[in-house]
Amino acid sequence: MTDWLEYLPTLLMGVRVTLWITFSGLLLGLLIALLLTWILEQKVPLLAQLAEGYLLLFTGTPLLVQIFLIYYGPAQFDWLKASWAWQYLREPGFCIVLALGLNAGAYTCRLFKGALDAVPKGEILACRALGMNAWQTLSIKLRHAGRRVIPAYSNEVILVLKGSSLASTITIMDIMGLAQRLNAQTYDTLVVFALAGLIYLVLNGTLTLLFRLLERRALVFQTQG
């Protein structure tokens, strides 16, 4: 019990870093997903093919590989190291957020597109009959797709939070990074990582509860609408 109390303050120092990485990656992923969803919905020539290629790349390869390529890859190019972008690409915090955002953007786009495709075509035809433009029609579809998106998106948020633990592989001192350092110092593997897992469990449980409340509010809003 004493060991748990000794390790807990150190591991809790990583919670702020973990949450910052998670929500920054989610925000970037959400922006990317909205853009890709619009491109796929409008079937923009060439851009739609590029978007499909993007989705295939980031949903078909492991997140850890993507992190390593983004963090270690640019250092292989002298012209890139000499550019303005190197001041960002050399920072592990920027790279992990970029990797999580690109990855989450692909999976979130799949969620949004699937929810939009599930909207009855009769509603789309009604929008066109009323003379609504593409943006207005898309907003109507998003409203009806929202009920399907929220439960699925909550799972994506949880996956991004768990995926943020890979930040420790590029020297970031999040929960897992601090757990690995404590383990190297104490060799108390079972206690250290069990406590780290418990912290992730509490964070995931809290996020799940918040999304359940959001889902209920969205359901009430749609019923009233």
Side-chain angles (χ1 to χ4, degrees), residues 7 63 88 108 183 205:
Y7 301 151
L63 176 58
Y88 301 104
T108 305
N183 182 57

mmCIF file of all heavy atoms in Angstrom, residues 7 63 88 108 183 205:
data_model
loop_
_atom_site.group_PDB
_atom_site.id
_atom_site.type_symbol
_atom_site.label_atom_id
_atom_site.label_comp_id
_atom_site.label_asym_id
_atom_site.label_seq_id
_atom_site.Cartn_x
_atom_site.Cartn_y
_atom_site.Cartn_z
ATOM 1 N N TYR A 7 4.091 6.115 -5.462
ATOM 2 C CA TYR A 7 4.134 6.237 -6.912
ATOM 3 C C TYR A 7 3.035 7.141 -7.465
ATOM 4 O O TYR A 7 3.197 7.743 -8.528
ATOM 5 C CB TYR A 7 3.997 4.854 -7.569
ATOM 6 C CG TYR A 7 5.057 3.861 -7.166
ATOM 7 C CD1 TYR A 7 4.774 2.494 -7.155
ATOM 8 C CD2 TYR A 7 6.339 4.284 -6.807
ATOM 9 C CE1 TYR A 7 5.743 1.568 -6.797
ATOM 10 C CE2 TYR A 7 7.302 3.356 -6.432
ATOM 11 C CZ TYR A 7 7.004 2.002 -6.432
ATOM 12 O OH TYR A 7 7.953 1.094 -6.071
ATOM 13 N N LEU A 63 -0.649 2.757 -35.673
ATOM 14 C CA LEU A 63 -0.389 4.093 -35.158
ATOM 15 C C LEU A 63 1.068 4.252 -34.750
ATOM 16 O O LEU A 63 1.669 5.311 -34.970
ATOM 17 C CB LEU A 63 -1.314 4.376 -33.963
ATOM 18 C CG LEU A 63 -1.102 5.704 -33.230
ATOM 19 C CD1 LEU A 63 -1.251 6.895 -34.170
ATOM 20 C CD2 LEU A 63 -2.055 5.818 -32.051
ATOM 21 N N TYR A 88 9.266 22.671 -35.636
ATOM 22 C CA TYR A 88 8.099 21.961 -35.104
ATOM 23 C C TYR A 88 8.297 20.445 -35.154
ATOM 24 O O TYR A 88 7.964 19.737 -34.203
ATOM 25 C CB TYR A 88 6.845 22.335 -35.898
ATOM 26 C CG TYR A 88 6.533 23.807 -35.873
ATOM 27 C CD1 TYR A 88 6.801 24.622 -36.973
ATOM 28 C CD2 TYR A 88 5.974 24.394 -34.738
ATOM 29 C CE1 TYR A 88 6.513 25.978 -36.944
ATOM 30 C CE2 TYR A 88 5.686 25.753 -34.708
ATOM 31 C CZ TYR A 88 5.957 26.531 -35.815
ATOM 32 O OH TYR A 88 5.680 27.883 -35.794
ATOM 33 N N THR A 108 -12.350 8.991 -37.743
ATOM 34 C CA THR A 108 -13.534 9.816 -37.506
ATOM 35 C C THR A 108 -14.269 10.100 -38.799
ATOM 36 O O THR A 108 -15.502 10.133 -38.837
ATOM 37 C CB THR A 108 -13.142 11.133 -36.817
ATOM 38 O OG1 THR A 108 -12.410 10.847 -35.612
ATOM 39 C CG2 THR A 108 -14.375 11.949 -36.451
ATOM 40 N N ASN A 183 9.489 2.428 -13.203
ATOM 41 C CA ASN A 183 9.816 1.010 -13.271
ATOM 42 C C ASN A 183 11.318 0.798 -13.399
ATOM 43 O O ASN A 183 11.882 -0.130 -12.801
ATOM 44 C CB ASN A 183 9.089 0.368 -14.451
ATOM 45 C CG ASN A 183 9.341 -1.113 -14.552
ATOM 46 O OD1 ASN A 183 9.075 -1.864 -13.621
ATOM 47 N ND2 ASN A 183 9.857 -1.556 -15.688
ATOM 48 N N GLY A 205 -13.314 5.851 -17.943
ATOM 49 C CA GLY A 205 -14.636 5.778 -17.343
ATOM 50 C C GLY A 205 -15.302 7.139 -17.266
ATOM 51 O O GLY A 205 -16.511 7.276 -17.529
#
